[in-house]
Amino acid sequence: MEELWTLVEMLKIVSKHEEALQLLQHLEKTEKENPFIRSIFREIAMIHEDTGNTELSKAYFLKADSKLEMIGKPAPDFSLTDSNGNPIALKDYRGKVVLLDFWATWCGPCIAEMPNVKKIYDTHKDMGFVVIGINLYNDASEVRDFLKECELPWRQICDGQDGPLKKLFQIRGIPSLWLIDREGKVISYKARGIELRKLVDEAVKAKI
C-alpha cells in the first residue's frame, strides 16, 4: 500500500487527478480492513472536490468522518453525574452556548488549548457561554487535583476510556471541542485557537 500511496501523491502533484483517483479506488476496494481507510476516503473526497464533483466529494468526506453529518443538527443528549457526583444533563443548558471539551491530563494538545478556552470562557461567561470538560482517561480524584492546580472553573465529567460519551460523540482523538448553539445544535467539533474564539463570539451574539 505504501508504494501505491506514494504514487498517488506524485500523480496529484502533477495534476493527474483521474489516474490518482483510479489508484485510490483500487485501495478502497482492497484495503477495507486497513485502519487508515478513512485517509483513503478523505483523499478521494478531496480529488472530487478539486474536480468539481461536489456530491461525491460530500459523500466521501462523510465516509472519512461521519461526524460531519452532525453539524447543524441537535447534539446527542446525555444525563450523567459530574466529577463531584452531581447530576448533569446537556438539555439543562438549552438557551446557552455550550463547549464540550473532551480531554485528558496527559494530552499535550489538550493542555495547550486550555488557556485559550479559559480566555474565551472569561470573556463570554456573562453572555450565556458555558464549558463542560469531559475527561476520558483519568479518574475523578486526578481530575479534581488537576483542576485545582490549573484553576479551571467549569464542571467536569469523568467519562472513562470506554465511556458512553466517547461513543455517543464518536471521539477518536483528543482534544475534541464540540461547540453547541443555544438551540442545542452542533456548530463545530474540531475548532481551536482563533477559529474557536471567532465561532464562540458569533454564537453568543446570534439571536435565536
Side-chain angles (χ1 to χ4, degrees), residues 18-206:
E18 188 60 38
E19 290 90 336
L21 184 59
Q22 289 176 3
L23 279 176
L24 286 166
Q25 288 171 335
H26 171 73
L27 290 173
E28 180 185 6
K29 292 177 181 178
T30 59
E31 300 292 334
K32 291 180 180 179
E33 303 303 318
N34 193 304
F36 297 104
I37 188 67
R38 294 180 188 277
S39 297
I40 295 171
F41 293 151
R42 192 174 297 109
E43 289 292 328
I44 293 174
M46 287 190 291
I47 289 178
H48 284 308
E49 185 176 61
D50 290 342
T51 55
N53 196 329
T54 54
E55 289 299 318
L56 278 174
S57 175
K58 181 179 179 180
Y60 273 95
F61 273 127
L62 282 172
K63 281 188 173 185
D65 188 354
S66 59
K67 294 191 296 294
L68 283 170
E69 204 164 21
M70 298 170 73
I71 299 295
K73 295 181 180 178
D77 198 14
F78 58 82
S79 182
L80 297 167
T81 56
D82 66 15
S83 59
N84 293 316
N86 298 314
I88 182 170
L90 185 58
K91 65 176 183 284
D92 293 340
Y93 291 89
R94 192 62 51 84
K96 296 182 181 294
V97 176
V98 179
L99 182 68
L100 302 179
D101 182 5
F102 290 84
W103 69 289
T105 59
W106 50 259
C107 169
C110 300
I111 307 307
E113 184 65 22
M114 281 185 175
N116 181 53
V117 174
K118 192 171 187 303
K119 185 174 181 179
I120 295 171
Y121 175 80
D122 290 340
T123 302
H124 297 96
K125 63 183 179 181
D126 296 326
M127 301 171 70
F129 174 66
V130 296
V131 179
I132 301 172
I134 301 172
N135 188 285
L136 298 183
Y137 295 96
N138 303 102
D139 63 33
S141 62
E142 284 182 286
V143 172
R144 285 194 293 269
D145 290 344
F146 183 89
L147 296 179
K148 287 178 184 177
E149 184 179 340
C150 295
E151 299 181 338
L152 298 180
W154 49 82
R155 298 177 73 182
Q156 298 285 335
I157 297 170
C158 294
D159 192 46
Q161 188 169 351
D162 297 309
L165 295 186
K166 183 179 180 183
K167 296 174 183 176
L168 191 63
F169 287 85
Q170 302 178 46
I171 305 300
R172 299 187 183 93
I174 51 175
S176 184
L177 296 126
W178 287 69
L179 184 61
I180 301 166
D181 70 15
R182 297 184 192 276
E183 295 181 325
K185 295 178 180 177
V186 177
I187 298 172
S188 172
Y189 57 85
K190 55 184 178 182
R192 294 194 230 169
I194 294 174
E195 183 185 1
L196 180 61
R197 287 186 225 169
K198 179 176 178 290
L199 289 175
V200 171
D201 189 59
E202 291 173 352
V204 296
K205 293 177 180 177

